[in-house]
Amino acid sequence: MSKISAFLKNVVSEMRKVSWPKRKELTKYTVVVISTVIFMAVYFGLVDMGISEVMKWYTGL
């Protein structure tokens, strides 16, 4: 049990050392992540549709 409490004390100590982002930085990071996810989803969706159409065309020959 003492190992668990020592571990938790170390966790609290390390969390106090963390440099947390300010609200403005966090907003910028969130926008970058969301826009990247949307871009990648659209990109892979288009690639998937393209491959799907090629396979339909190929199997229809």
Side-chain angles (χ1 to χ4, degrees):
M1 193 66 170
S2 66
K3 287 184 179 182
I4 294 174
S5 63
F7 172 75
L8 292 175
K9 284 179 185 177
N10 287 334
V11 168
V12 170
S13 172
E14 289 298 319
M15 290 301 285
R16 287 190 177 131
K17 297 177 188 176
V18 172
S19 172
W20 297 99
K22 304 293 182 224
R23 185 173 182 88
K24 193 172 184 178
E25 291 174 325
L26 188 60
T27 303
K28 285 182 185 178
Y29 299 156
T30 303
V31 169
V32 168
V33 168
I34 290 173
S35 60
T36 302
V37 167
I38 290 171
F39 173 77
M40 296 304 288
V42 169
Y43 173 76
F44 284 117
L46 291 173
V47 168
D48 183 49
M49 285 191 323
I51 291 171
S52 209
E53 290 299 317
V54 168
M55 291 306 292
K56 285 180 189 175
W57 173 79
Y58 182 73
T59 58
L61 290 178

